[in-house]
Amino acid sequence: MTTGDTKVDPGSTGSSGTAGSVDSKGLKGGSLGLLSSVVVGMASTAPAYSLAAVLGLIVASGAGVKAASIVLLAFIPIYLIAVAYQELNKAEPDCGTTFTWASRAFGPLVGWMGGWGIIAADVIVMANLAQIAGAYSFTFVGDLGWTSAADLASSTLWSTVAGVIWIVVMTYICYRGIEVSARLQYFLLGFEVIILVVISIYALIKVYTSNALPESIHPSLAWFWPAGLDFGTVVAPAILIAIFIYWGWDTAVACNEESDDPGTTPGKAAVLSTFLLLATYAIVTVAVVAFAGVGETDAGLGNPANSADVFSAIGPALFGDSVIGHIGLLALSATILTSASASTQTTILPTARTTLSMGVYKALPTSFAKIHRKYLTPTVSTVVMGAVSIFFYVLFTLISSSLLLALIGSVGLMIAFYYGMTGYACVWYYRKTLTKNARDLVMRGVVPLLGAIMLTVVFAYGLISYSKPDYLVDEATGENVTILGFGAVAVVGIGALVLGVIMMFVWWAMSPGFFKGQTLERRSDLLLEPAIGAGAYFGLPDSGDMPTVIAPDLSNLPTGGIAIDPTTGEEFSKGG
């Protein structure tokens, strides 16, 4: 097979196909089965990294011991939106997800901003992911015995250099193929979840045997109910932060065109991922809060010094100085490192596929639609995502190292924006058939609408809190981190949306076809039949053995190969 790029003809895919069918963009179909999709979805959330970066912030927001209730509350809108993804994916399993669905439901302007929301969220969070991966690279090496390297973990310069290297490495892996990416995630996620469960059980044993910290607390069912917490100042901002730990399961849906059953498997994987994440987060949250307590000193989760990484704060106290303790610390640092690096990779995947879809439908330059002939991955989309992530990572670091941690709140705004849009799109897309039966009314109407409304409310309250000048204080200088007099977290989030609006109108002026509805027209529920899965050259353990799907322009047809139309039996070859 020859190597190089091929570009999918946007004109051949923009308006063709019926609901429930897959318009080929040249991606490697049939590569992911249900298990693979769940793994990719869960790995994208980076459970260990997410908890390390967010749990302290939730406690410090005022939730205290009721952090578990915030984790539970954040799950509710996430699950409701996962249902919306599942229902919309049945009608149109397009890798553009929110971009495509919102365009179908509300038109090109809303759809373009939906795609931009995905891009902005992923680019912003890459800065935080890279910083954690970079710092933990030195921490891990230090735990292996190179103690002088551990000091570099606190160096902004060297952590940034290491973070940039991680982005480059993971961009290359995504470039090499979805199967390479997914196979790596099997190992990374398995290791991560096992270590998290072991640490949680070990911490709870110490609590109940009175061998934990003096500030330790015995768990209570009351921790799962937010009674006594103010909604506007505590619950809403905390939920916006907590949403971050669930974010990423939609990667399974973004890879729908590479699934064995595009219309069914990704949606099931998305919903399963959210429940598995809830179980993992509930266990770890209760265990960590019980072991460390919520005090503002030492290893307490309320200590601002521990907000950036609660696991590094409690690790020494949890494992001690014995040989087993050192092994435990090594496993803990390895878990955070693998988690952050895995999420760095799986954050690139959905963004590259969103921009691929936008390129195919001419909502972005058609160069974004290029597919590698051998690896069947988006080339320009993947490389540009990596390059832009590096740029903003360095930029945010130069503004303030404290901003890197606080970017989680900005990402929360982006998540609430495009997840909420997906919920509304589901209701509007199926509006003509909602009353067909009770199941459709609930799953395609009530559930998505509730999820969208909840995220809209949380977005509004969170934005008010984040915009306050004193919301974020630089640890080094003690000064408020603001931009134009407003809280930097809110400015980054809203600024990203404003930038999207500007870029949308610029592209509209340059290439108006998409915005005139010429390449992706609006429509409502036209679901005819379940989507038909595509095939793969070789797959993951659960992907099956299927024939190769050749792109319409024969760009990925091996030299000397023959393509057969499964409907008519007609044979094609290059030049034939």
Side-chain angles (χ1 to χ4, degrees):
M1 182 182 296
T2 59
T3 60
D5 289 339
T6 182
K7 184 165 63 180
V8 178
D9 178 13
S12 68
T13 59
S15 59
S16 64
T18 58
S21 65
V22 183
D23 287 331
S24 174
K25 298 180 182 63
L27 293 169
K28 194 170 188 177
S31 298
L32 303 176
L34 181 59
L35 176 60
S36 306
S37 297
V38 170
V39 167
V40 168
M42 287 190 67
S44 297
T45 66
Y49 150 74
S50 297
L51 286 170
V54 169
L55 191 51
L57 294 176
I58 295 175
V59 171
S61 70
V65 295
K66 293 182 179 290
S69 70
I70 300 298
V71 171
L72 180 60
L73 285 174
F75 165 77
I76 296 174
I78 291 298
Y79 165 71
L80 300 179
I81 296 302
V83 171
Y85 267 78
Q86 183 177 34
E87 294 302 315
L88 285 168
N89 189 70
K90 291 177 181 178
E92 188 157 9
D94 188 287
C95 65
T97 59
T98 300
F99 156 72
T100 306
W101 302 330
S103 295
R104 293 293 196 197
F106 302 125
L109 295 182
V110 177
W112 200 96
M113 286 304 298
W116 177 259
I118 297 174
I119 297 169
D122 288 342
V123 168
I124 292 172
V125 80
M126 282 291 280
N128 192 285
L129 287 168
Q131 193 273 335
I132 292 290
Y136 262 93
S137 297
F138 296 114
T139 301
F140 179 69
V141 173
D143 289 339
L144 286 175
W146 188 6
T147 55
S148 60
D151 297 332
L152 297 178
S154 58
S155 169
T156 301
L157 172 62
W158 287 107
S159 293
T160 303
V161 171
V164 168
I165 293 174
W166 272 113
I167 294 177
V168 171
V169 170
M170 291 306 176
T171 300
Y172 176 70
I173 292 176
C174 291
Y175 184 89
R176 281 297 305 270
I178 185 65
E179 287 170 341
V180 176
S181 299
R183 287 179 185 276
L184 178 61
Q185 293 303 329
Y186 270 109
F187 166 74
L188 295 179
L189 180 66
F191 176 80
E192 182 180 349
V193 172
I194 290 173
I195 296 300
L196 281 176
V197 172
V198 169
I199 289 175
S200 299
I201 294 174
Y202 186 56
L204 289 173
I205 290 175
K206 283 204 148 191
V207 169
Y208 281 105
T209 57
S210 301
N211 291 316
L213 296 174
E215 299 82 10
S216 67
I217 315 167
H218 280 208
S220 168
L221 287 177
W223 291 5
F224 290 95
W225 186 250
L229 301 181
D230 181 75
F231 180 81
T233 60
V234 177
V235 176
I239 288 178
L240 203 56
I241 294 173
I243 284 174
F244 176 82
I245 66 178
Y246 291 102
W247 175 52
W249 50 266
D250 50 310
T251 299
V253 186
C255 296
N256 47 20
E257 296 186 37
E258 293 147 290
S259 170
D260 60 353
D261 186 354
T264 304
T265 297
K268 289 181 179 178
V271 174
L272 282 173
S273 296
T274 60
F275 278 101
L276 291 173
L277 289 168
L278 173 64
T280 303
Y281 291 152
I283 293 172
V284 178
T285 299
V286 169
V288 173
V289 171
F291 179 83
V294 294
E296 298 182 0
T297 60
D298 300 325
L301 300 186
N303 186 344
N306 300 335
S307 295
D309 183 358
V310 297
F311 288 143
S312 65
I314 71 170
L318 179 62
F319 294 111
D321 295 326
S322 65
V323 174
I324 295 179
H326 284 296
I327 294 175
L329 286 173
L330 180 63
L332 181 59
S333 60
T335 300
I336 306 298
L337 175 59
T338 57
S339 180
S341 59
S343 191
T344 301
Q345 175 197 345
T346 48
T347 298
I348 296 170
L349 289 176
T351 316
R353 280 144 186 79
T354 297
T355 53
L356 166 68
S357 184
M358 293 178 77
V360 166
Y361 294 116
K362 297 185 179 180
L364 285 177
T366 54
S367 58
F368 282 91
K370 288 184 177 180
I371 295 291
H372 196 283
R373 292 183 180 178
K374 178 179 180 181
Y375 305 135
L376 304 184
T377 57
T379 52
V380 173
S381 291
T382 300
V383 173
V384 169
M385 171 57 184
V388 172
S389 297
I390 291 173
F391 171 78
F392 279 99
Y393 172 35
V394 174
L395 176 63
F396 290 141
T397 302
L398 292 175
I399 293 176
S400 172
S401 57
S402 297
L403 182 59
L404 291 174
L405 173 62
L407 286 175
I408 290 174
S410 302
V411 173
L413 292 173
M414 294 296 99
I415 298 169
F417 171 74
Y418 83 83
Y419 274 4
M421 182 184 293
T422 306
Y424 291 125
C426 184
V427 177
W428 192 249
Y429 183 88
Y430 285 110
R431 66 190 184 281
K432 296 181 180 179
T433 58
L434 284 179
T435 57
K436 184 172 63 175
N437 54 60
R439 188 265 175 199
D440 286 353
L441 178 62
V442 173
M443 302 302 283
R444 295 177 174 178
V446 176
V447 168
L449 183 60
L450 284 177
I453 292 174
M454 290 176 68
L455 289 174
T456 302
V457 172
V458 169
F459 179 96
Y461 275 98
L463 181 60
I464 293 172
S465 294
Y466 293 156
S467 62
K468 295 177 180 178
D470 59 350
Y471 178 80
L472 177 64
V473 178
D474 192 302
E475 294 181 3
T477 64
E479 298 179 354
N480 295 337
V481 181
T482 61
I483 299 176
L484 302 176
F486 295 95
V489 177
V491 174
V492 171
I494 297 302
L497 291 177
V498 172
L499 177 61
V501 172
I502 294 173
M503 294 188 66
M504 178 179 69
F505 282 108
V506 168
W507 182 245
W508 189 353
M510 296 174 62
S511 180
F514 166 76
F515 299 98
K516 292 181 178 179
Q518 295 174 356
T519 59
L520 187 62
E521 75 277 10
R522 293 179 64 174
R523 71 182 183 203
S524 59
D525 178 13
L526 297 175
L527 183 62
L528 301 177
E529 59 185 357
I532 300 173
Y537 294 105
F538 60 91
L540 291 161
D542 59 337
S543 63
D545 183 15
M546 301 180 183
T548 300
V549 170
I550 302 300
D553 61 358
L554 305 182
S555 58
N556 63 328
L557 181 65
T559 302
I562 297 176
I564 302 175
D565 187 321
T567 303
T568 65
E570 184 179 0
E571 296 185 352
F572 300 88
S573 62
K574 287 186 178 179

